[in-house]
Amino acid sequence: MSQAPFLDLRHIRKEFGSFTALQDIDLEIRKGEFVCFLGPSGCGKTTLLRIIAGLETQTAGSISQGGRDISLLPPARRDYGIVFQSYALFPNLSVADNVAYGLVNRKTPRSEIKQRVTELLKLVGLPGSDAKFPGQLSGGQQQRIALARALATAPGLLLLDEPLSALDALERIRLRQEIRALQQKLGVTTIMVTHDQEEALSIADRIVVMNHGVIEQIGTPMDIYREPASPFVADFVGKVNVLPARLEQGMLRFGSMCLPCAGEDRELARVYLRPEDVLARPIEPGDLHVFEAQIDKIEFLGSYCHVHVLSPALGAQKLMVYLSLNFLSEQSLQVGSTLTLKLLPERLKVF
Ligand code: ATP
């Protein structure tokens, strides 16, 4: 990393009694980055966010923000705004008073507060909602207010703890786009915790994939998706086919397939292959890695389908591929039909 990191976590460890929730976490975040902590329930992502916020104290390790050691500072003396999963607005305060909360605490002059609240409500797309109460707003609107409240003091760091998970599917997508646009406009360094891989892929500059209290991989969404560092990452991010294989004298064998592959001989290798890396067209005469398969199941998802196929070329293993609805209808393909597929061997991952 060329410039000094804005947020620098060194050897962070967290124990709850005899349970280790985080082990030796090292992480550097640049100014203006949008970083997602992604992982399954219980992997430690919320604990790590809470440690950055000072809401939880690390058992060991240090944190610095903007060159200042904040490891032991109480939350009020750190420089961040936070949005939680549950709306966490004060129900008995108006929208304006909720947004103004941090400014009042800082003894900001009243006229300035009024102006800032108007500006923030406009920024989150809810101008004129000052006098309303949280109970009169939808979940998505409440999260927009929570976001305005978190940004009110223009903090250096925005922390988002699963802010979208209580919302319905459409509202989640809308709000995540708004959050990203807002973050880019303001340039505020942001960390969002999520267990939703699609959310992380769509919003983050970099993703930190966590599992059992350790970081499995840090990378751009494209790195994480295309170059997963471990079977866990390949499995957790995106859909993947896993095929048992044998690696022998530089050749990878599964079913009747045989492809060149670097690595030591292994009786039990696993091939990871994304559904989109198996093509149904265009297949030209002379193409390599082509095989016949029979459709076992079609999951209709609208414009494209998850098509499960079986092929003697792959042994007894089922493979899932994506096919467009147009292709299926053009070729009159249905369960039981046979089709020709082609593997992209350069996209195979072997662990
Ligand atoms: P989720 O999405 O379910 O919140 P997470 O990845 O955010 O998952 P954490 O909430 O960080 O996970 O919890 C990590 C582990 O630490 C879990 O096993 C959890 O049970 C444990 N844990 C968290 N807080 C405490 C606590 N105060 N006391 C004891 N154990 C805790």
Side-chain angles (χ1 to χ4, degrees):
M1 196 167 287
S2 50
Q3 74 202 95
F6 176 68
L7 194 70
D8 195 358
L9 277 64
R10 294 280 170 95
H11 305 299
I12 296 291
R13 179 178 181 82
K14 178 65 184 175
E15 288 163 10
F16 292 109
S18 61
F19 176 74
T20 304
L22 295 171
Q23 297 181 37
D24 204 25
I25 300 284
D26 276 325
L27 179 63
E28 296 184 356
I29 296 179
R30 287 182 288 265
K31 198 166 177 56
E33 260 195 306
F34 195 125
V35 170
C36 277
F37 292 172
L38 174 69
S41 182
C43 71
K45 51 197 189 298
T46 300
T47 302
L48 188 57
L49 192 85
R50 289 174 60 82
I51 286 174
I52 294 169
L55 300 170
E56 203 77 74
T57 308
Q58 64 279 14
T59 310
S62 65
I63 314 173
S64 74
Q65 182 178 335
R68 178 170 74 129
D69 186 342
I70 59 163
S71 310
L72 297 172
L73 285 187
R77 294 193 46 212
R78 299 192 187 195
D79 173 26
Y80 67 86
I82 190 163
V83 177
F84 297 100
Q85 171 181 352
S86 54
Y87 314 125
L89 296 174
F90 305 111
N92 53 335
L93 294 187
S94 69
V95 162
D97 289 343
N98 264 285
V99 174
Y101 189 77
L103 299 168
V104 172
N105 274 351
R106 288 190 174 192
K107 310 210 173 357
T108 310
R110 245 211 244 170
S111 60
E112 212 176 292
I113 292 184
K114 195 165 178 344
Q115 194 187 343
R116 180 85 180 127
V117 168
T118 305
E119 187 184 299
L120 284 158
L121 290 179
K122 203 167 143 208
L123 197 66
V124 298
L126 289 170
S129 57
D130 311 51
K132 289 194 175 154
F133 282 83
Q136 298 173 287
L137 303 175
S138 72
Q141 289 170 331
Q142 288 187 51
Q143 282 308 61
R144 286 176 178 83
I145 300 303
L147 196 59
R149 184 176 65 179
L151 292 168
T153 57
L157 184 63
L158 178 63
L159 303 176
L160 308 169
D161 188 3
E162 304 244 15
L164 306 172
S165 56
L167 307 177
D168 69 51
L170 275 182
E171 185 64 354
R172 285 176 81 123
I173 294 176
R174 207 176 302 140
L175 190 50
R176 86 179 178 215
Q177 288 165 348
E178 284 178 30
I179 289 177
R180 180 55 163 158
L182 195 63
Q183 185 270 340
Q184 284 179 324
K185 184 170 168 187
L186 302 175
V188 58
T189 311
T190 300
I191 303 175
M192 181 166 98
V193 164
T194 179
H195 59 266
D196 180 333
Q197 40 104 7
E198 186 191 297
E199 202 162 282
L201 289 172
S202 71
I203 208 171
D205 291 314
R206 284 194 304 153
I207 300 176
V208 176
V209 185
M210 298 178 65
N211 187 26
H212 292 310
V214 299
I215 294 179
E216 290 262 342
Q217 188 172 2
I218 305 174
T220 63
M222 189 65 99
D223 286 342
I224 300 280
Y225 189 78
R226 276 277 161 85
E227 298 298 335
S230 65
F232 172 81
V233 177
D235 251 339
F236 192 74
V237 182
K239 295 222 178 293
V240 75
N241 293 290
V242 185
L243 308 171
R246 200 152 38 102
L247 190 53
E248 210 173 41
Q249 296 177 342
M251 298 303 282
L252 187 68
R253 296 174 197 277
F254 53 102
S256 60
M257 292 279 168
C258 187
L259 312 168
C261 176
E264 279 179 25
D265 283 9
R266 252 176 299 164
E267 203 39 53
L268 269 178
R270 280 175 192 281
V271 172
Y272 283 69
L273 181 64
R274 299 264 185 224
E276 67 272 26
D277 296 335
V278 183
L279 306 182
R281 63 175 176 184
I283 291 168
E284 309 285 345
D287 263 358
L288 296 173
H289 318 303
V290 167
F291 59 97
E292 296 270 296
Q294 192 176 43
I295 298 181
D296 182 61
K297 192 169 104 184
I298 299 178
E299 279 174 79
F300 175 62
L301 293 168
S303 66
Y304 77 102
C305 301
H306 287 179
V307 179
H308 301 252
V309 302
L310 280 164
S311 166
L314 302 173
Q317 201 65 32
K318 251 189 216 173
L319 191 73
M320 197 268 277
V321 299
Y322 299 147
L323 296 180
S324 74
L325 187 58
N326 284 345
F327 180 75
L328 288 171
S329 4
E330 272 167 26
Q331 308 283 320
S332 311
L333 293 172
Q334 48 194 294
V335 172
S337 305
T338 300
L339 77 168
T340 307
L341 297 170
K342 173 177 150 181
L343 291 184
L344 296 179
E346 64 277 16
R347 293 281 175 76
L348 292 178
K349 282 260 147 226
V350 182
F351 291 108

